[in-house]
Amino acid sequence: MKTIILDLVGYKEWTESLGCDREWRIQAFQHYFASILYSKLADVNAFPIPIRYDSYIILVDGVKEKEVLHVIREVSEKYSPTKMQICKGYGETIYESIFNCVDTLEDKPDDKIVVAHYDINGITRLDKRTAMQEIEELKANVFSLSEKVGGIAYYFGGDNVGLFASKKDLDSMLTIANLNDNVKTGIGIAENPRKALMKATTALEYVRKNREIKWKILE
């Protein structure tokens, strides 16, 4: 699996330079910067996942390395308040790739990206406390599974949680839906992250309309 790890160097020092009335500025910047990254990287079919707001894992299987690097240079020059550094990662799993920097990804084979998009049935009918408990439980289950398969979990917001992994982990990714009556799952498999996400959402929309099934896979 291929990733590019993007770090903002000296970010902590930059935030501290803003003075004590800084938290709203930091939050505003972090969401603005993330918005830029999502938009720019979508244009080249990549997808960033924040580790922290000063560090991102960019999924780049099936994406041209030079196009991603061009986006990173543009973001660095126009939007970043600090210097940026990258690690081109490659490994059997997404998690392994984070800790295995290589000189180039161009000579590495691409793997298909698998995205599981988990969603809770009838969340809007629950009271706020119960809804929050259901969401936290789903997040915990998905993040726990991500550690077992070497994938990366991602909270999309609301009652939506994602898991990015490889095709060999497909059966494991279905266990959350199979073991939880109130969870439905759409899974997308594609040659790049953007297409995999689109297929996962399409699959989930199908499941939502067909209540008799709990999950669907689109490849």
Side-chain angles (χ1 to χ4, degrees):
M1 304 295 288
K2 297 179 178 180
T3 57
I4 291 180
I5 312 305
L6 176 64
D7 292 312
L8 277 65
V9 181
Y11 184 77
K12 178 178 181 290
E13 291 76 13
W14 173 74
T15 61
E16 291 173 346
S17 73
L18 299 176
C20 292
D21 183 24
R22 63 180 179 237
E23 196 54 45
W24 67 272
R25 296 185 183 185
I26 294 170
Q27 295 303 317
F29 167 76
Q30 287 175 165
H31 289 83
Y32 168 73
F33 186 76
S35 175
I36 294 295
L37 275 182
Y38 285 116
S39 298
K40 298 288 185 182
L41 289 169
D43 288 340
V44 297
N45 296 316
F47 187 77
I49 298 174
I51 304 173
R52 304 183 305 266
Y53 279 109
D54 61 337
S55 185
Y56 292 82
I57 302 168
I58 304 174
L59 305 177
V60 295
D61 272 291
V63 180
K64 293 182 179 179
E65 180 179 325
K66 63 180 181 180
E67 293 183 350
V68 179
L69 295 180
H70 175 76
V71 169
I72 291 173
R73 281 193 296 270
E74 180 186 358
V75 171
S76 177
E77 293 170 359
K78 295 183 179 180
Y79 304 101
S80 178
T82 72
K83 293 182 179 180
M84 292 166 56
Q85 68 179 18
I86 65 169
C87 158
K88 301 173 185 177
Y90 182 75
E92 183 178 344
T93 66
I94 296 175
Y95 186 77
E96 287 180 8
S97 74
I98 299 170
F99 305 100
N100 184 34
C101 296
V102 297
D103 292 332
T104 181
L105 295 172
E106 292 181 346
D107 60 353
K108 307 297 183 186
D110 287 297
D111 289 303
K112 285 194 172 182
I113 292 282
V114 179
V115 184
H117 189 154
Y118 302 99
D119 181 272
I120 300 172
N121 281 319
I123 193 72
T124 57
R125 295 193 295 270
L126 302 176
D127 63 82
K128 291 288 193 296
R129 183 185 298 274
T130 304
M132 290 175 62
Q133 291 172 342
E134 293 277 350
I135 292 168
E136 289 304 316
E137 182 179 350
L138 176 59
K139 287 168 64 178
N141 288 338
V142 176
F143 275 77
S144 177
L145 179 59
S146 73
E147 294 181 1
K148 295 178 182 177
V149 302
I152 297 293
Y154 182 61
Y155 178 50
F156 291 123
D159 63 331
N160 298 274
V161 186
L163 176 57
F164 297 82
S166 59
K167 199 169 181 179
K168 67 179 179 60
D169 303 311
L170 188 56
D171 288 342
S172 296
M173 297 168 84
L174 290 172
T175 58
I176 290 180
N178 289 333
L179 296 176
N180 293 273
D181 291 337
N182 64 332
V183 175
K184 50 188 176 287
T185 308
I187 293 181
I189 305 172
E191 63 272 20
N192 65 57
R194 184 174 180 178
K195 286 185 178 179
L197 280 161
M198 180 178 66
K199 289 183 177 182
T201 302
T202 303
L204 183 60
E205 288 297 322
Y206 180 87
V207 175
R208 284 170 173 164
K209 295 175 182 177
N210 295 270
R211 296 288 182 175
E212 70 276 8
I213 62 175
K214 291 179 61 61
W215 52 264
K216 182 174 178 60
I217 301 170
L218 284 181
E219 183 173 9

